[in-house]
Amino acid sequence: MQTGDAELLRAINRYRVLDAIRRFEPISRSDICERTQLGRTTVSAIIGELIESGVVSSEPHDAAHTGRGRPRDFLRMNPDLAYVVGAKLSMHQVSITVTNLRADLFASEILPVRTWRLTPDVIADLLEDGIRAAIAKAGIDENKIAGIGVGIPGFINAVTGTSHWSPILGEEIVPFAAMLQERLGIATIIENDANLVTLAERWFGEGQDVDNFVVVTVEGGIGMGLFLGGELFHGHHGIGTEFGHSKIDRHGPLCRCGQHGCIETYIADYAIYREARKLLDLPPIDHDNPALEVAVSDVAVRARAGDMRLRALYEEAGAMLGMGIANLVNIIDPGKVVVTGSGMRAADLIEPSLRKVALENSLAMLRGSCEIVIHQGTDEVWARGAAALVLQSLFRQPWSDRTGMTLPFEQDGAQDTAIRFPAALAEGDA
Amino acid sequence: MQTGDAELLRAINRYRVLDAIRRFEPISRSDICERTQLGRTTVSAIIGELIESGVVSSEPHDAAHTGRGRPRDFLRMNPDLAYVVGAKLSMHQVSITVTNLRADLFASEILPVRTWRLTPDVIADLLEDGIRAAIAKAGIDENKIAGIGVGIPGFINAVTGTSHWSPILGEEIVPFAAMLQERLGIATIIENDANLVTLAERWFGEGQDVDNFVVVTVEGGIGMGLFLGGELFHGHHGIGTEFGHSKIDRHGPLCRCGQHGCIETYIADYAIYREARKLLDLPPIDHDNPALEVAVSDVAVRARAGDMRLRALYEEAGAMLGMGIANLVNIIDPGKVVVTGSGMRAADLIEPSLRKVALENSLAMLRGSCEIVIHQGTDEVWARGAAALVLQSLFRQPWSDRTGMTLPFEQDGAQDTAIRFPAALAEGDA
């Protein structure tokens, strides 16, 4: 047997054990043997390593122990094995969080700044200072930060750590992960913001039990994350998939992208406000003005107060989003669709027509159910997404090697942002 | 090391060697070592097994051999190791082919019959007789047929071998693979017809070098196959994805499915003919009448002869298909889109507007190229698809285990249609 083979085998077995502990904790050794189909000796050796390195902790079994046989211990992941910094670049603010691997929040910072007016260098400087402040606030040793995960709107290549187009970082290719990593000396991954939400749903939310699901984020723009076959799908070019500018009406209204009938032009904040101005005496507000979100909230309040024209406006917006979701359901056949983001603060006004049109126009009934979950989400989603980015690199399937579906680590041409368990286990990761 | 581990390891190594031979044949032993990163001893042992069982053949190296060192042999897959029966159920005919693993055609049969008027049992009887006749015509021993692959329009679960909805087999769940397998005693796989075309493109056509691509088939209806991350994607419910009834205009014309603005209602044969009847004095022809295909060909002939109204009709149909393809390109980000099927006999009339609208409405430029290939395809595509179905089971990645992405073999609840290399290697396949 080749050395490489033995190492692969070791990595596969360790992955199986860790994955069983993560998914079914607290779990006994014999349950691990059963779930992994590995022998007791192999499992015990791996658990010994994991406990020694602090990845897993063992606790005595109490209540259920009957006194027969030898006492059993139960195993858990150690959530404080490492800490994670999460950051989210929005048009109008920078959010920073510090969590452990279970996404428990230790500190958060919000910098109210119009990011799109700043250069990538200035944004990186801002993040550097903000992250150092957040880590200090959390009282955590910087050496215990496993990695930084940053969510950015636009076309982001997570493997190379570059932004290819972003309303914040511009239209040039920007090696933003490396820029941060140089400043802070901590492994940094950048990811499209909707993909980060998708990872958060996978590890901590609606996607835990479904290997094919779609997340649609409704905010200033419309984002999408595709989770297919148990992995985030980044598309053939590795910079993500796109939903907001798919078309549902060739002769529909002009979108800010210059095309017609994009889904975004029916449901994004600026679209709601554009339609509301046709009905109410409202001042013009540019789509990149932070006042827009407040103004749109006010439109929703008026609709709830009983303005039937505004209610009809939201109903129509919900119908168009439902139409787009029906197309997604037809084309992808996901097990679940999660609709989230600040736009879902108006879920009460949008949801009935969204569900009706999505159901009427999709083949979900023919295939079996596709659940649509609508929730507004919270700011914690970014912290969870960042924790998930690090978790997915720790729990990388050792046999995963497919083009277009690989996790964002250890590819040719990738920057060196590999996130690994502490040193005791590093040798097995080769 | 556990027995299961050793077997997995052996399967992985054999897969690597076989895959290198298949992809780069003729290939030398040292090239195999280089490409697989396996040692000479391991590779030689595996090749010995493969040659002994007839999977691989060795040929002496001639021209390039310089006389230095020991003589080298080059290795190839043996295309006549096994034979494959392919069948395609269409609304108006049943096609049957017999090929080897390289899809070289040994015999073909076409039965002109309106399948949709027959019960599944009668169709299975027809196929049984037709397949026996084709095998006899090819002069091949039935024991050398590795499997039967059948393409069927509709929602087909390839894992369980059942049709869940098909214009031919009806709306009930029909265990059609088992029905054929019982009659013929040969492992049988059924697959959606567009998926079969997609597999043919993967193994023998446009998809050989791209791990993420989409095939759109334009015929009586519109089909789609999604090849993602190196595997056919069957959707969360395992019965396929759907493009023809995704919507590009909420207020568009009524589709035969009862919904509005489906892509099919702009580009399928019946849609072209519906529009042509608005311009020409043509008799009504039902969408399930075989005369429709001939009548539509005649419309194309008149357009080519210079009828500008008919040319505009095709231009509009091409534009609407281009719109749908733009949505696919945005949502999936494939590396390539292949548009094929009998509808592409009119490619000369459709292609310019299709390409223009697809380009104008997609983000392909931002991401990098997405090539659109348009070709009419040939009847051989079904034979190739069936050969590919068998090939993909022989070349199954041993570590592939993802929900929704697994190949159609050896899953829980799956019928016993496993196709394997000859007996000499069977023990390693466990």
Side-chain angles (χ1 to χ4, degrees), chain B residues 114-131:
Chain B
R114 296 196 208 178
T115 53
W116 53 272
R117 299 195 298 191
L118 307 176
T119 65
D121 264 316
V122 173
I123 297 173
D125 286 344
L126 272 179
L127 269 175
E128 180 188 357
D129 296 342
I131 288 171

Side-chain angles (χ1 to χ4, degrees), chain A residues 1-2 9 39 211-212 229 236-237 241-242 247 250 259 316 327 330 333 360-361 363 369 402-403, chain B residues 1-2 9 39 211-212 229 236-237 242 247 250 259 316 327 330-331 333 360-361 363 369 402-403:
Chain A
M1 188 162 58
Q2 310 260 306
L9 206 56
D211 277 349
N212 302 281
H236 189 71
H237 299 93
T241 53
E242 165 63 39
K247 313 292 182 294
R250 192 175 163 204
Q259 299 172 358
E316 177 70 6
N327 282 348
N330 284 341
D333 180 27
E360 281 172 1
N361 289 282
L363 298 164
S369 63
R402 299 188 215 179
T403 312
Chain B
M1 190 163 59
Q2 310 260 307
L9 206 58
D211 276 349
N212 302 281
H236 188 70
H237 298 93
E242 165 64 40
K247 313 292 183 295
R250 191 174 163 205
Q259 299 171 357
E316 177 69 6
N327 281 349
N330 285 340
I331 290 171
D333 181 27
E360 281 173 0
N361 289 282
L363 298 163
S369 63
R402 299 189 215 177
T403 313

Side-chain angles (χ1 to χ4, degrees), chain A residues 38-68:
Chain A
L38 292 170
R40 191 146 194 111
T41 322
T42 308
V43 166
S44 283
I46 293 170
I47 287 174
E49 267 183 75
L50 291 173
I51 290 176
E52 198 181 330
S53 61
V55 174
V56 160
S57 63
S58 153
E59 56 190 47
H61 181 52
D62 39 84
H65 186 48
T66 59
R68 282 173 296 157

Side-chain angles (χ1 to χ4, degrees), chain A residues 3 24 91 118 163 242 301 356 377 429:
Chain A
T3 318
F24 303 104
M91 297 294 278
L118 308 175
S163 167
E242 165 63 39
V301 169
K356 179 168 180 287
D429 276 351

Side-chain angles (χ1 to χ4, degrees), chain B residues 70-368:
Chain B
R70 54 176 175 170
R72 297 195 294 169
D73 59 342
F74 272 43
L75 298 154
R76 281 184 187 282
M77 290 292 299
N78 171 10
D80 294 312
L81 168 67
Y83 300 88
V84 176
V85 172
K88 165 66 167 46
L89 299 186
S90 306
M91 297 294 277
H92 314 310
Q93 70 178 36
V94 175
S95 323
I96 298 167
T97 58
V98 180
T99 71
N100 62 10
L101 290 181
R102 201 166 53 201
D104 300 327
L105 197 63
F106 285 69
S108 70
E109 292 280 341
I110 288 182
L111 316 174
V113 51
R114 296 196 208 178
T115 53
W116 53 272
R117 299 195 298 191
L118 307 176
T119 65
D121 264 316
V122 173
I123 297 173
D125 286 344
L126 272 179
L127 269 175
E128 180 188 357
D129 296 342
I131 288 171
R132 285 200 202 284
I135 294 173
K137 198 166 158 185
I140 286 168
D141 181 352
E142 244 184 60
N143 293 326
K144 294 208 77 180
I145 305 287
I148 302 172
V150 186
I152 305 171
F155 286 114
I156 306 299
N157 188 322
V159 176
T160 56
T162 47
S163 166
H164 289 243
W165 178 92
S166 163
I168 294 172
L169 297 177
E171 302 184 10
E172 304 293 312
I173 295 181
V174 179
F176 196 71
M179 286 165 63
L180 272 185
Q181 191 162 330
E182 276 161 25
R183 281 169 170 79
L184 287 151
I186 302 171
T188 302
I189 308 164
I190 63 175
E191 180 59 276
N192 168 272
D193 54 357
N195 281 347
L196 213 58
V197 175
T198 305
L199 286 174
E201 293 287 358
R202 172 59 171 179
W203 288 82
F204 301 105
E206 292 289 341
Q208 289 180 75
D209 297 320
V210 54
D211 276 349
N212 302 281
F213 69 97
V214 179
V215 172
V216 173
T217 59
V218 182
E219 310 214 304
I222 309 298
M224 176 177 73
L226 283 185
F227 203 87
L228 301 181
E231 288 186 8
L232 199 55
F233 182 69
H234 283 96
H236 188 70
H237 298 93
I239 55 174
T241 53
E242 165 64 40
F243 175 60
H245 297 282
S246 64
K247 313 292 183 295
I248 44 179
D249 188 351
R250 191 174 163 205
H251 306 291
L254 182 68
C255 180
R256 57 181 174 168
C257 74
Q259 299 171 357
H260 284 265
C262 299
I263 287 166
E264 187 171 302
T265 195
Y266 296 102
I267 187 73
D269 283 352
Y270 80 85
I272 300 283
Y273 195 72
R274 178 196 65 215
E275 295 303 308
R277 284 192 68 213
K278 294 178 183 168
L279 304 171
L280 304 173
D281 182 28
L282 294 171
I285 304 179
D286 218 39
H287 70 82
D288 50 15
N289 186 329
L292 182 62
E293 200 176 319
V294 180
V296 168
S297 296
D298 188 53
V299 173
V301 169
R302 292 203 204 187
R304 284 189 198 101
D307 187 324
M308 295 312 285
R309 297 168 311 164
L310 292 180
R311 292 186 81 89
L313 182 168
Y314 274 104
E315 195 179 311
E316 177 69 6
M320 294 315 257
L321 182 57
M323 191 84 169
I325 287 172
N327 281 349
L328 278 182
V329 169
N330 285 340
I331 290 171
I332 308 281
D333 181 27
K336 198 182 259 192
V337 176
V338 181
V339 187
T340 185
S342 61
M344 288 305 111
R345 281 179 210 150
D348 54 323
L349 300 165
I350 289 168
E351 186 166 346
S353 61
L354 187 162
R355 287 191 184 279
K356 180 168 178 289
V357 173
L359 190 64
E360 281 173 0
N361 289 282
S362 69
L363 298 163
M365 298 303 288
L366 205 57
R367 287 189 185 125

